[in-house]
């Protein structure tokens, strides 16, 4: 380790906060790769008597450094709180599980009895859950009260592994007469979807002691929401339910409303951007009106709620003396209804609780909401099918692409055996029409030149369309990754070097097609952002990429977005690269 690096590390450690049984290295941007890198950190840990909380957030810990830190933790039996969010910045996904295993084994060896475990903002994916699975099942977590796994890219697979581990922990701890009594569970932005949420719901139903559940932005629609509602009903101590930015529709909203009628401790309900619609809002209003006297916050913003339903919600809070905020922003009310809401709440002497209505969508004509809902559910389910597996870094396989093409053929062209289908000739037009990794590779070593030659780089729309098709086949497989990178480089180098190419228009158009920027025109966005995010991660590091575009790209990729949340690993990689430019 270079002397200047050691000096920098010592200076950082001088800022270490010690007190109340807590040792904090939070936000020091320490790069701990080797055992030598971690020497000073280990010294601090070893010399700290009565260590109860260890903060490692905002640093980056490699496999070797994790092993020696773990060794130091083996003697810290009093450790109760592990604040270990965002501590693998820049690490390969494969590095994180072994690092977590080392740290977890150390806590088990020490005989620690954890109260809080926070591993949020570590893009470890499903495999990362395996890294702390043994810890969750061990006596070290029988006493766990707070589990925080926000923005970890767990996916459905990770959600199922986590649920099984929690059930196992509860079973084993119950056998010892002290069942797991988890109070706070946080797992937003993990793309758990219905299957992951349903698995966790089963675990929640067994545990029964939850007080707060935060699971926003997980791509959950009504089957998963209904499963969660059933589980919440047998967690009578629940105070906070945050399911923001999932898709309830009426079915999920009604199920959740029934559960709310059985809960008496609820203080915060956050169903914003959950598409509860008018019928769902009325059901929730009925639940609020019947009870929930401790309610402090009700968020039903951006839920496509219309006039009468919104007024019903406002009337339902009449006797909620603890209420601090009612959020109905972003619905379909119109100016007259917005004024009526103010009048109703003023009549209750509660005008101050109504949040801003500045993003109201305006009153809409009545439509067949049930029909709309069915269409929405079908679209959501189709989207889930298209996006599923993004966290595991998989693109559509050639077979799936062929299958989807076959399904679109007229009946007379369908065959009983796939091998009877004639293989279409592979040229640039064929690849761009139906992109697949196989077709890109079959174009041969000159694929990058051929695609660049046949793309009119003076036309921003065509460049963006071609780039999205190329990036859609991205895979971590070396040959495919190389082909995607080389083809992207040839195309974009040609485009950016052209005097007539408008780079600002390019980034704007690209963001629109990625669904990160709204357009006045109706434009179909790409089903999964994983490929384009990984391709951009390569692009922005190249000399041809205008560095002036980096701040724009960073700003939009940083903003909360459901499509980005399903690709947390790729998003993390790109943001990290952009910050280093």
């Amino acid at each position: 380790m270079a002397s200047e690096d050691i000096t920098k590390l010592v200076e950082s450690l001088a800022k270490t906060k010690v007190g109340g049984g807590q040792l904090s290295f939070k936000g020091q941007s320490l790069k701990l790769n080797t055992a030598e890198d971690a020497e000073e950190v280990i010294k601090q840990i070893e010399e700290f008597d009565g260590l109860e909380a260890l903060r490692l957030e905002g640093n980056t810990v490699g496999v070797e450094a994790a092993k020696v830190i773990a060794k130091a933790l083996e003697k810290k039996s009093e450790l109760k709180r592990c604040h270990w969010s965002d501590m693998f910045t820049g690490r390969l996904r494969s590095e994180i599980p072994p690092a977590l295993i080392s740290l977890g084994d150390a806590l088990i060896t020490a005989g620690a009895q954890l109260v809080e475990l926070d591993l949020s903002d570590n893009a470890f994916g499903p495999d990362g859950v395996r890294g702390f699975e043994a810890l969750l099942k061990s006596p070290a977590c029988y006493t766990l009260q707070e589990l925080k796994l926000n923005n970890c890219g767990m996916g459905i697979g990770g959600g199922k592994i986590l649920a099984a581990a929690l059930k196992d922990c509860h079973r084993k701890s119950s056998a010892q007469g002290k069942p797991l009594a988890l109070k706070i569970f946080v797992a937003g932005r993990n793309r758990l979807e219905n299957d992951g949420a349903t698995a966790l719901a089963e675990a929640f139903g067994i545990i029964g002691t939850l007080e707060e559940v935060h699971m926003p932005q997980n791509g959950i629609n009504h089957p998963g929401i209904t499963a969660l509602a059933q589980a919440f009903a047998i967690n009578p101590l629940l105070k906070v339910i945050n399911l923001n930015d999932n898709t309830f529709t009426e079915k999920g909203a009604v199920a959740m409303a029934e559960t709310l009628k059985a809960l008496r401790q609820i203080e915060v309900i956050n169903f914003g951007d959950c598409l509860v619609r008018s019928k769902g809002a009325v059901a929730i209003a009925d639940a609020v009106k019947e009870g929930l006297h401790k309610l402090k916050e009700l968020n039903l913003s951006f839920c496509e709620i219309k006039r009468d339903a919104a007024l019903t919600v406002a009337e339902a809070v009449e006797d909620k003396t603890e209420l601090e905020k009612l959020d109905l922003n972003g619905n379909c009310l119109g100016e007259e209804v917005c004024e009526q809401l103010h009048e109703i709440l003023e009549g209750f002497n509660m005008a101050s609780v109504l949040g801003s209505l500045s993003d109201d969508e305006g009153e809409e004509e009545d439509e067949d909401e049930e029909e709309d809902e069915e269409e929405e559910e079908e679209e959501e389910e189709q989207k889930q099918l298209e996006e599923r597996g993004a966290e595991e870094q998989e693109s559509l396989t050639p077979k799936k692409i062929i299958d989807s093409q076959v399904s679109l053929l007229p009946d007379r062209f369908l065959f009983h055996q796939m091998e009877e289908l004639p293989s279409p000739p592979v040229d640039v037009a064929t690849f761009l029409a139906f992109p697949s990794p196989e077709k890109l590779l079959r174009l041969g070593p000159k694929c990058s030149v051929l695609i660049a030659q046949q793309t009119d780089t003076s036309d921003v729309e065509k460049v963006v369309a071609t780039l999205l098709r190329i990036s859609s086949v991205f895979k971590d497989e070396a040959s495919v990754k190389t082909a995607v990178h080389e083809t992207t480089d040839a195309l974009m180098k040609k485009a950016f070097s052209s005097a007539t190419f408008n780079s600002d228009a390019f980034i704007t158009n690209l963001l629109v097609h990625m669904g990160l920027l709204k357009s006045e025109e109706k434009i179909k966005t790409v089903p999964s952002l994983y490929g384009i995010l990984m391709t951009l991660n390569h692009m922005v590091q190249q000399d041809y990429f205008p560095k002036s575009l980096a701040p724009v790209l960073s700003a939009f990729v940083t903003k909360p977005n459901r499509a980005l949340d399903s690709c947390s690993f790729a998003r993390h990689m790109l943001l990290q690269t952009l910050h280093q430019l």
Side-chain angles (χ1 to χ4, degrees):
M1 191 175 189
S3 59
E4 58 268 24
D5 292 333
I6 294 174
T7 302
K8 184 178 179 181
L9 179 58
V10 171
E11 289 174 352
S12 293
L13 291 171
K15 302 174 186 175
T16 300
K17 296 178 182 178
V18 178
Q22 174 176 284
L23 177 61
S24 176
F25 301 96
K26 182 178 179 179
Q28 294 183 20
S29 300
L30 303 176
K31 296 180 180 179
L32 308 178
N33 298 317
T34 65
E36 185 183 2
D37 294 341
E39 283 179 358
E40 289 294 330
V41 174
I42 293 166
K43 182 181 178 183
Q44 295 267 4
I45 293 173
E46 289 177 339
E47 293 178 355
F48 196 112
D49 293 328
L51 180 64
E52 294 184 6
L54 178 61
R55 308 196 75 104
L56 292 173
E57 310 104 305
N59 299 291
T60 178
V61 181
V63 176
E64 293 305 314
K67 286 180 181 178
V68 293
I69 291 173
K71 196 69 179 174
L73 290 175
E74 288 180 357
K75 299 177 182 178
K76 301 299 174 181
S77 61
E78 297 178 12
L79 187 62
K80 291 180 173 61
R81 298 184 182 276
C82 297
H83 302 279
W84 293 350
S85 63
D86 189 23
M87 70 172 203
F88 296 110
T89 303
R91 299 292 166 188
L92 295 174
R93 197 163 169 178
S94 58
E95 291 182 86
I96 301 177
L100 288 173
I101 289 170
S102 296
L103 294 167
D105 287 349
L107 298 177
I108 296 170
T109 300
Q113 293 186 317
L114 295 185
V115 173
E116 180 179 359
L117 177 61
D118 187 354
L119 292 170
S120 299
D121 300 314
N122 291 308
F124 47 58
D127 293 340
V129 184
R130 293 286 189 198
F132 60 93
E133 179 184 18
L135 173 64
L136 278 181
K137 293 179 178 180
S138 76
C141 284
Y142 290 178
T143 50
L144 195 64
Q145 295 180 16
E146 301 180 30
L147 180 58
K148 300 174 182 178
L149 299 166
N150 201 55
N151 192 31
C152 292
M154 290 190 291
I156 295 171
K160 289 181 176 180
I161 296 167
L162 176 61
L166 288 172
K167 288 190 290 184
D168 194 66
C169 180
H170 187 272
R171 179 179 59 79
K172 290 178 179 177
S173 57
S174 296
Q176 293 192 6
K178 294 182 179 180
L180 172 67
L182 191 66
K183 294 181 179 180
I184 298 175
F185 180 82
V186 181
R189 300 184 180 184
N190 271 292
R191 204 60 199 173
L192 295 169
E193 300 184 15
N194 288 331
D195 291 347
T198 301
L200 285 167
E202 186 178 340
F204 296 162
I206 292 170
I207 294 169
T209 56
L210 288 167
E211 295 181 12
E212 295 186 22
V213 175
H214 302 263
M215 295 174 64
Q217 297 183 333
N218 269 299
I220 309 168
N221 57 25
H222 72 83
I225 296 298
T226 300
L228 288 171
Q230 293 168 349
F232 293 165
I234 43 182
N235 280 266
L237 302 177
L238 264 174
K239 296 178 182 179
V240 178
I241 302 177
N242 176 6
L243 294 174
N244 188 285
D245 201 5
N246 288 292
T247 307
F248 282 42
T249 64
E250 181 192 345
K251 292 179 182 178
V254 169
M256 194 61 70
E258 286 302 308
T259 285
L260 291 175
K261 292 177 182 178
L263 300 175
R264 291 290 175 260
Q265 306 301 319
I266 289 291
E267 296 178 3
V268 177
I269 298 172
N270 186 344
F271 297 159
D273 202 14
C274 282
L275 205 68
V276 303
R277 289 202 173 102
S278 294
K279 291 180 181 178
V282 169
I284 292 168
D286 288 343
V288 171
K289 190 171 185 177
E290 286 185 22
L292 305 187
H293 295 293
K294 296 184 180 181
L295 188 64
K296 294 180 179 179
E297 180 178 337
L298 175 59
N299 185 346
L300 294 175
S301 60
F302 299 93
C303 281
E304 294 192 6
I305 299 170
K306 296 178 184 176
R307 173 194 176 104
D308 293 341
L311 296 176
T312 301
V313 171
E315 291 166 352
V317 303
E318 179 178 2
D319 62 345
K320 309 307 169 207
T321 56
E322 301 293 320
L323 192 67
E324 298 172 1
K325 184 177 182 180
L326 172 61
D327 193 345
L328 291 170
N329 198 19
N331 286 299
C332 312
L333 309 181
E335 187 175 342
E336 182 182 341
V337 178
C338 289
E339 290 176 1
Q340 284 182 273
L341 288 174
H342 281 287
E343 291 172 2
I344 290 172
L345 291 167
E346 279 178 2
F348 302 154
N349 198 25
M350 298 173 68
S352 62
V353 307
L354 185 61
S356 169
L357 296 172
S358 59
D359 292 320
D360 183 64
E361 295 289 338
E363 188 172 6
E364 292 184 0
E365 294 180 6
D366 289 337
E367 296 174 0
D368 188 341
E369 192 169 294
E370 186 175 341
E371 183 177 321
D372 284 350
E373 185 173 298
E374 290 174 358
E375 291 175 1
E376 183 71 34
E377 288 171 9
E378 290 173 1
E379 289 174 7
E380 180 67 20
E381 288 167 6
Q382 180 62 32
K383 184 178 179 183
Q384 285 193 7
L385 289 172
E386 291 173 340
E387 292 183 353
R388 184 166 293 170
E391 298 87 358
E392 285 72 32
Q393 306 178 43
E394 293 180 356
S395 299
L396 290 170
T397 62
K399 182 181 185 303
K400 289 177 183 175
I401 293 170
I402 291 171
D403 288 346
S404 66
Q405 292 174 34
V406 170
S407 69
L408 297 174
L409 291 173
D411 290 344
R412 66 180 182 276
F413 290 120
L414 293 177
F415 298 88
H416 295 294
Q417 302 292 332
M418 279 298 298
E419 51 266 30
E420 292 177 26
L421 280 171
S423 298
V426 178
D427 53 22
V428 171
T430 302
F431 167 73
L432 293 178
F434 300 102
S436 74
E438 181 189 39
K439 290 192 184 78
L440 183 62
L441 294 176
R442 285 171 60 192
L443 281 172
K446 293 185 178 181
C447 64
S448 58
V449 177
L450 292 171
I451 291 176
Q453 285 178 345
Q454 296 186 37
T455 302
D456 180 3
T457 51
S458 65
D459 188 329
V460 168
E461 282 273 3
K462 289 181 180 177
V463 172
V464 169
T466 302
L467 175 62
L468 290 171
R469 284 175 171 82
I470 295 168
S471 63
S472 70
V473 305
F474 181 91
K475 290 175 69 176
D476 270 342
E477 185 180 319
S479 58
V480 176
K481 183 193 293 187
T482 300
V484 168
H485 286 172
E486 289 179 351
T487 308
T488 298
D489 289 342
L491 172 68
M492 299 314 303
K493 187 174 182 179
K494 178 185 174 185
F496 284 126
S497 62
S498 171
T500 60
F501 188 71
N502 188 330
S503 58
D504 291 332
F506 163 77
I507 199 70
T508 299
N509 195 287
L510 179 61
L511 290 169
V512 167
H513 281 83
M514 290 173 69
L516 306 184
L517 181 63
K518 289 185 178 179
S519 172
E520 293 180 0
E521 300 175 12
K522 191 171 182 180
I523 293 177
K524 186 176 181 180
T525 57
V526 292
S528 172
L529 294 181
Y530 179 74
I532 185 60
L533 289 173
M534 294 301 286
T535 303
L536 283 169
N537 186 52
H538 168 79
M539 269 178 59
V540 299
Q541 300 177 64
Q542 309 309 309
D543 291 338
Y544 61 73
F545 186 81
K547 297 302 181 272
S548 61
L549 299 183
V552 179
L553 188 57
S554 179
F556 280 92
V557 176
T558 303
K559 290 172 65 176
N561 184 283
R562 184 182 299 179
L564 285 170
D565 294 332
S566 68
C567 309
S568 59
F569 173 80
R571 178 193 208 176
H572 177 78
M573 293 289 289
L574 175 57
L575 285 175
Q576 181 180 316
T577 301
L578 289 168
H579 290 322
Q580 292 173 351
L581 291 177

